[in-house]
């Protein structure tokens, strides 16, 4: 868990490792409970039970139910950032772009409930935390912007800055569509088939653009 969450979620516990461990338990419990009951119907007492804590112990690590939702959202972006920044790539090659898309889509396939909850419930966060999450979303798009710009700088793609920005958003949204529509899409495609088709259509589309 990144340290950024400390800006919004206070804890009375001083042991950093214990905070990370316990909050991951709270995140896992929150995802399960919010999926089953919805954010607004779930109670902090139910969250404590799902995490295996007493209600008193829960309040040592969070203050409100909104804190749990914030932690769930922040955890998603930490996972995405780690996923996209760690993969080996040939900088500026279309192959590096394809690898990044594949890694991102595979991560979404592992976390469909988290992505769905984030988009359904972010509006329930306090204003400061909501803006933080929206900023993190733009940071995620910026990673794909950078990869696309590297491809342009290397001469492997020909896109304007406006096209790069829109194309980066398209990658992010089409990946998240797997989370929102998995109930229908998985009846027809495996995740690998979905990745292959989406990547092919995306690349065919952007390669028709000229600056």
């Amino acid at each position: 868990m990144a340290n950024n969450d400390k800006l919004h979620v206070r804890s009375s516990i001083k042991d950093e490792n214990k905070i990370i461990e316990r909050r991951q338990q709270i995140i896992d419990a929150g995802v399960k409970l919010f999926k089953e009951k919805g954010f607004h119907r779930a109670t902090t007492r139910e969250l404590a039970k799902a995490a295996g804590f007493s209600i008193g112990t829960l309040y040592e690590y969070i203050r409100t139910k909104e804190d749990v939702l914030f932690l769930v959202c922040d955890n998603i972006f930490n996972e995405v950032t780690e996923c996209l920044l760690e993969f080996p790539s040939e900088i500026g090659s279309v192959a590096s772009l394809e690898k990044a898309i594949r890694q991102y889509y595979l991560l979404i396939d592992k976390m469909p409930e988290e992505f769905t909850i984030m988009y359904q419930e972010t509006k329930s966060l306090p204003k400061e935390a909501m803006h933080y999450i929206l900023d993190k979303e733009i940071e995620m798009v910026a990673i794909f912007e950078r990869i696309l710009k590297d491809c342009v700088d290397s001469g492997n793609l020909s896109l304007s800055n406006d096209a790069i920005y829109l194309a980066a958003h398209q990658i992010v949204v089409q990946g998240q569509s797997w989370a929102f529509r998995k109930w229908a899409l998985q009846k027809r495609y495996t995740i690998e088939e979905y990745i292959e088709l989406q990547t092919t259509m995306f690349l065919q589309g952007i390669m028709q653009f000229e600056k």
Side-chain angles (χ1 to χ4, degrees):
M1 178 74 65
N3 288 334
N4 288 332
D5 62 32
K6 296 184 185 65
L7 296 174
H8 303 280
V9 181
R10 296 174 187 168
S11 172
S12 62
I13 303 299
K14 303 303 181 184
D15 186 330
E16 293 283 334
N17 291 329
K18 194 170 185 181
I19 291 173
I20 292 171
E21 178 185 352
R22 295 299 195 192
R23 282 189 173 165
Q24 189 58 55
Q25 290 176 258
I26 293 169
I27 289 167
D28 293 342
V31 169
K32 181 179 178 182
L33 191 61
F34 296 160
K35 179 186 175 185
E36 290 176 355
K37 299 195 66 173
F39 174 76
H40 291 288
R41 291 180 57 209
T43 67
T44 50
R45 190 167 297 279
E46 289 171 327
L47 279 165
K49 183 178 179 180
F53 302 154
S54 68
I55 190 69
T57 299
L58 181 73
Y59 282 126
E60 291 178 343
Y61 296 94
I62 61 148
R63 295 165 298 167
T64 66
K65 186 172 62 172
E66 286 76 16
D67 283 349
V68 180
L69 179 58
F70 173 83
L71 291 173
V72 170
C73 295
D74 197 53
N75 186 60
I76 290 171
F77 292 117
N78 291 333
E79 292 281 350
V80 170
T81 301
E82 290 177 14
C83 164
L84 292 178
L85 294 182
E86 72 181 6
F87 72 93
S89 64
E90 305 81 16
I91 300 298
S93 71
V94 174
S96 68
L97 174 61
E98 291 175 326
K99 288 178 183 177
I101 292 172
R102 184 173 186 276
Q103 293 248 147
Y104 172 60
Y105 284 23
L106 287 175
L107 178 64
I108 291 171
D109 183 53
K110 289 168 55 180
M111 304 173 68
E113 291 87 2
E114 287 91 331
F115 275 91
T116 302
I117 289 167
M118 179 180 69
Y119 278 97
Q120 288 177 337
E121 306 295 355
T122 295
K123 62 184 180 297
S124 300
L125 289 168
K127 187 175 181 179
E128 182 186 6
M130 181 177 68
H131 284 305
Y132 171 82
I133 294 300
L134 295 177
D135 287 344
K136 294 287 278 186
E137 168 90 358
I138 295 301
E139 288 178 26
M140 188 166 64
V141 172
I143 295 174
F144 283 106
E145 280 189 86
R146 174 184 56 78
I147 296 170
L148 286 161
K149 190 174 187 305
D150 286 341
C151 291
V152 171
D153 291 343
S154 298
N156 291 312
L157 291 176
S158 181
L159 297 168
S160 67
N161 287 335
D162 283 344
I164 288 172
Y165 182 72
L166 187 57
H169 276 276
Q170 184 178 347
I171 292 170
V172 170
V173 171
Q174 291 303 322
Q176 293 168 357
S177 293
W178 179 256
F180 308 146
R181 303 291 298 176
K182 187 175 180 180
W183 63 270
L185 293 169
Q186 67 182 353
K187 296 175 183 178
R188 185 152 188 164
Y189 312 107
T190 65
I191 182 59
E192 292 291 350
E193 290 169 339
Y194 182 79
I195 292 170
E196 182 179 355
L197 283 169
Q198 286 284 8
T199 303
T200 298
M201 288 190 291
F202 173 76
L203 291 176
Q204 287 176 348
I206 65 172
M207 285 178 177
Q208 295 180 33
F209 277 85
E210 294 293 336
K211 288 184 180 179

